[in-house]
Amino acid sequence: MSDEINKFNNSMHYAGLATQWMVLLLVAVWLGYKLDYKWIGWNFPLFLILLPLIALGYSLWQVVREFNKPQDSGNKKNKDI
């Protein structure tokens, strides 16, 4: 039972990271498009290229930070007892 819960928690953790990554990239592309073509009026897509690359670097940095955290081997409530 505990193994099934751990597998479910791990898969939900990865699904959450993937969702966060996709939303961040979509917002960066949308904002870059708006900046380049609608608000500034440039013909070259500088922000459309630059913002998703910055968002990708930021999200990869978050993933590396997340996976370098030490893993909890037990329940914190049981350690106090």
Side-chain angles (χ1 to χ4, degrees):
M1 180 80 175
S2 178
D3 290 335
E4 292 176 16
I5 292 173
N6 284 338
K7 287 180 184 178
F8 179 74
N9 286 341
N10 285 340
S11 64
M12 292 307 293
H13 182 75
Y14 291 128
L17 285 173
T19 303
Q20 180 182 5
W21 198 8
M22 292 304 297
V23 167
L24 187 65
L25 286 175
L26 286 173
V27 167
V29 168
W30 177 80
L31 188 61
Y33 176 78
K34 288 289 189 180
L35 275 171
D36 282 335
Y37 297 115
K38 301 294 182 182
W39 295 330
I40 297 175
W42 290 351
N43 291 330
F44 184 74
L46 178 69
F47 289 112
L48 188 60
I49 294 169
L50 201 60
L51 286 180
L53 288 176
I54 292 170
L56 182 64
Y58 175 73
S59 64
L60 287 175
W61 176 66
Q62 278 187 328
V63 167
V64 168
R65 253 186 36 201
E66 182 73 26
F67 284 122
N68 283 335
K69 285 183 182 177
Q71 296 288 328
D72 269 347
S73 59
N75 193 353
K76 289 182 181 180
K77 290 180 183 178
N78 291 337
K79 289 181 182 180
D80 293 335
I81 296 176

